[in-house]
Amino acid sequence: MNNKTITTTNFKFPNQQEVYKGKVRDVYKLGNDILVMIATDRISAFDTVLPVGIPYKGQVLNQIATNFLDLTSDIIDNWKLSSPDPVVTVGEYCNPFKVEMVIRGYLTGHAWREYKSGKRVLCGQPMPDGMKEHDRFPEPLVTPTTKADQGHDEDISREEIIKTGLVDELDYLYLEKKTKELFNRGTDFAQKKGLILVDTKYEFGKNKSGKIVLIDEIHTPDSSRYFYLDGYQKRQDAGEGQKQLSKEFVREWLIDNGFQGKEGQSIPNLTNDFIDSVSDRYIELYNNITGNYFNKADNTDILDRIDKNVNDYLNSLNQ
């Protein structure tokens, strides 16, 4: 790691209780009430974290997520308290529900693979006959998954969630309602930016007062799929693939260079030109999705900057 990207963290914040390190984010729990979530510059593909950081990737993801948390706070309260640094969100600790609320507006990805295999029901939701890949559903489908501590998440229906007690019925119906409202807001916002929000996922939890709030990230290219609106119908009518706004280009480059995460395969050499091109694409994603111009943070000493900004914010809470 050079000092201009962040791939590992080892902070010692006041009252720090535990640290969870995911594929791309490091989450610090302070006491029983506060989470400090750091979006690193790590990038993963095929369930593999690549060995180099992508400059500004963490800033892109964090700032897209905080932007959409703010834009949807009238629909449902969220966990965010502040973003004291370009790659950091500080929020209240919540007890997460053990389901992820996936919602799909189009027959794409996992839904298409299930459909192509002959299935016409996904997570208890019927899918009409006669559809082709990337067609729009008559109404968005809520297709939840379990949140696995280990292994892969599994599809699950509303009925199974309630029957097994994974989520209380009233709570689940509320999650479903808010999932649809958030997706509608994201769809409208994307359309104004010349994009289609194809599918996404939301996570919810209860705060210490028992209130249901939106947690984690929202509408980022790591948790959502976008198409370009311009030419969508023309491509559908012609049976062509859709132009996607996601990190799919990274997977395609790895495949072209002989890597799909399979046993015995080695990660190809990630050249500086490739790393810079990925950084440029993430910045392009930010500009397109938010409609704002991306301002690169001063990454001269990124770890020192984060440490100072987070501690300054935590000190302000105690004053």
Side-chain angles (χ1 to χ4, degrees):
M1 183 187 79
N2 64 48
N3 64 352
K4 294 196 174 183
T5 61
I6 176 171
T7 55
T8 59
T9 70
N10 189 29
F11 294 110
K12 299 294 181 194
F13 297 123
N15 207 17
Q16 186 169 306
Q17 302 295 315
E18 55 187 280
V19 183
Y20 167 76
K21 299 197 174 184
K23 283 181 186 157
V24 298
R25 288 177 298 175
D26 293 351
V27 183
Y28 290 76
K29 185 180 180 187
L30 313 185
N32 294 316
D33 301 328
I34 300 289
L35 289 183
V36 176
M37 184 181 286
I38 299 169
T40 74
D41 295 318
R42 298 193 294 266
I43 187 167
S44 69
F46 302 115
D47 285 329
T48 303
V49 177
L50 303 184
V52 295
I54 305 299
Y56 304 106
K57 176 182 177 284
Q59 182 184 347
V60 165
L61 292 187
N62 186 65
Q63 292 189 331
I64 289 175
T66 58
N67 177 68
F68 282 113
L69 288 172
D70 292 344
L71 285 171
T72 57
S73 61
D74 61 314
I75 294 175
I76 184 171
D77 288 341
N78 61 64
W79 73 289
K80 177 193 162 195
L81 296 172
S82 180
S83 181
D85 182 274
V87 302
V88 177
T89 300
V90 179
E92 61 177 334
Y93 173 77
C94 299
N95 190 26
F97 288 102
K98 292 190 177 296
V99 293
E100 291 187 354
M101 300 299 288
V102 180
I103 183 165
R104 305 174 185 278
Y106 293 75
L107 183 60
T108 297
H110 173 62
W112 167 246
R113 289 188 290 273
E114 294 288 284
Y115 194 91
K116 190 168 62 169
S117 75
K119 294 181 181 176
R120 291 297 178 268
V121 176
L122 182 64
C123 301
Q125 299 288 315
M127 299 183 287
D129 281 320
M131 294 183 71
K132 60 181 187 291
E133 186 176 14
H134 306 317
D135 275 353
R136 185 176 183 176
F137 288 120
E139 291 290 332
L141 302 185
V142 177
T143 58
T145 66
T146 58
K147 282 177 67 171
D149 293 327
Q150 294 180 331
H152 294 288
D153 298 341
E154 300 287 343
D155 290 341
I156 189 168
S157 69
R158 172 206 282 184
E159 290 71 26
E160 290 172 303
I161 289 170
I162 295 168
K163 182 181 176 183
T164 58
L166 208 53
V167 181
D168 169 83
E169 182 173 6
L170 283 178
D171 284 350
Y172 181 79
L173 294 176
Y174 182 80
L175 299 186
E176 202 172 70
K177 178 175 181 285
K178 291 302 172 182
T179 293
K180 291 176 180 177
E181 290 176 13
L182 290 165
F183 188 69
N184 287 340
R185 175 68 57 81
T187 296
D188 290 345
F189 191 87
Q191 191 168 22
K192 289 171 184 169
K193 306 301 175 193
L195 302 172
I196 293 171
L197 178 57
V198 178
D199 51 44
T200 191
K201 70 179 179 70
Y202 303 111
E203 297 188 46
F204 300 90
K206 286 189 177 181
N207 64 17
K208 62 183 178 182
S209 63
K211 186 176 187 179
I212 296 176
V213 297
L214 179 66
I215 61 173
D216 204 39
E217 63 182 345
I218 170 176
H219 296 165
T220 74
D222 275 20
S223 66
S224 314
R225 195 189 320 259
Y226 291 89
F227 291 157
Y228 285 94
L229 181 59
D230 184 41
Y232 162 79
Q233 196 56 55
K234 188 177 178 182
R235 286 187 287 272
Q236 278 303 95
D237 293 343
E240 298 172 357
Q242 286 299 329
K243 193 176 175 188
Q244 295 200 32
L245 195 67
S246 69
K247 66 174 183 180
E248 188 65 29
F249 65 92
V250 177
R251 298 187 193 97
E252 289 171 356
W253 185 88
L254 291 169
I255 290 170
D256 290 344
N257 286 271
F259 182 77
Q260 295 183 61
K262 295 177 181 174
E263 195 171 340
Q265 292 182 337
S266 298
I267 298 171
N269 178 43
L270 305 173
T271 65
N272 287 334
D273 283 348
F274 174 69
I275 293 166
D276 288 343
S277 74
V278 176
S279 181
D280 290 343
R281 287 290 289 273
Y282 265 89
I283 291 170
E284 181 188 343
L285 290 175
Y286 175 92
N287 292 338
N288 278 284
I289 290 169
T290 67
N292 299 324
Y293 180 76
F294 183 77
N295 290 308
K296 295 179 178 179
D298 181 357
N299 284 356
T300 307
D301 289 297
I302 189 168
L303 291 171
D304 289 345
R305 187 198 76 205
I306 293 169
D307 193 51
K308 179 182 186 304
N309 286 340
V310 172
N311 277 297
D312 284 352
Y313 172 73
L314 295 173
N315 288 335
S316 75
L317 293 178
N318 298 322
Q319 291 175 358

